[in-house]
Amino acid sequence: MNTFLSSLSSLPSWVMLAAGFVVYAAALWVIIRLLLRDSVLVTCPRGGRLARVVFRRGPDGRRDRVDRCSVLEAEPGKRCDEDCIHQPALRPLA
């Protein structure tokens, strides 16, 4: 254990600072993804198929807009009218 601590003290301070920044940025990214996005399984109102949709949450916590939709990824010509924002979630996805 003592050798590990002494090896850390021999690293340049900018390396330690950069490593701390990377850890901070990664933690912030994970927290923002958990708080501002909602991934659910819904029935697409346009196609009637099951769709895995990632919604962006607004400031009030409700679904604000569609970030990603499995139906749109499978069919590139389709446009999203975001009608599924008001659809009830069949199952929340982690």
Side-chain angles (χ1 to χ4, degrees):
M1 179 83 170
N2 217 358
T3 57
F4 177 71
L5 292 177
S6 65
S7 68
L8 282 180
S9 65
S10 66
L11 285 175
S13 60
W14 63 269
V15 172
M16 294 296 289
L17 191 61
F21 178 73
V22 167
V23 169
Y24 175 75
L28 190 63
W29 181 78
V30 167
I31 290 170
I32 287 174
R33 299 248 327 159
L34 289 176
L35 293 178
L36 298 180
R37 293 187 179 197
D38 189 18
S39 181
V40 294
L41 189 66
V42 297
T43 304
C44 181
R46 298 186 72 202
R49 301 184 342 192
L50 288 179
R52 180 175 289 186
V53 182
V54 177
F55 295 104
R56 178 153 304 181
R57 294 182 188 160
D60 57 353
R62 290 194 225 169
R63 297 174 183 167
D64 192 26
R65 69 169 218 235
V66 175
D67 269 355
R68 191 177 325 148
C69 177
S70 63
V71 172
L72 295 177
E73 290 172 359
E75 301 173 16
K78 259 192 174 177
R79 260 189 56 241
C80 183
D81 291 336
E82 299 185 348
D83 296 332
C84 57
I85 288 178
H86 306 294
Q87 292 286 104
L90 298 177
R91 184 176 74 221
L93 302 171

